[in-house]
């Protein structure tokens, strides 16, 4: 059984790498903020503003399960600064799309996070 390891870089470097890389895998009109999850040194927080999609904003946590795998969870979905029900089909499709992009970014960063 493979030992689970944390990313090979510290959280500050991880945030910087995600800030640099995530915008390259998202839609050009989307805006993204990446910052440290102060409660968990193995996690980052991601906010995506779907500029071209009627003012939706999504907050995610992205936690490294090991140096290769991330677990992404939606924390909140808003439209025009009001929390919306994220169970609707359109929002679910957007969330799934963003989660795919976040996983794609983690794969791109694998060389930096793997010891």
């Amino acid at each position: 059984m493979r030992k689970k390891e944390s990313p090979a870089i510290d959280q500050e470097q991880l945030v910087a790498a995600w800030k640099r890389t995530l915008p390259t895998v998202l839609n050009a009109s989307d805006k993204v903020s990446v910052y440290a999850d102060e409660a968990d040194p193995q996690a980052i927080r991601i906010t995506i503003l779907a500029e071209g999609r009627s003012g939706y904003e999504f907050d995610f946590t992205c936690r490294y399960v090991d140096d290769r795998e991330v677990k992404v969870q939606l924390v909140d979905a808003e439209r025009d600064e009001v929390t919306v029900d994220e169970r609707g089909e359109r929002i679910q499709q957007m969330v799934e799309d963003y989660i795919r992009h976040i996983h794609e970014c983690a794969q791109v960063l694998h060389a930096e996070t793997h010891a």
Side-chain angles (χ1 to χ4, degrees), residues 26-38:
L26 291 176
N27 300 318
S29 62
D30 293 334
K31 308 285 187 240
V32 64
S33 299
V34 179
Y35 48 99
D37 184 325
E38 294 180 13

Side-chain angles (χ1 to χ4, degrees), residues 11 35-41 43-45:
Q11 191 178 40
Y35 48 99
D37 184 325
E38 294 180 13
D40 184 351
I44 59 173
R45 303 288 295 230

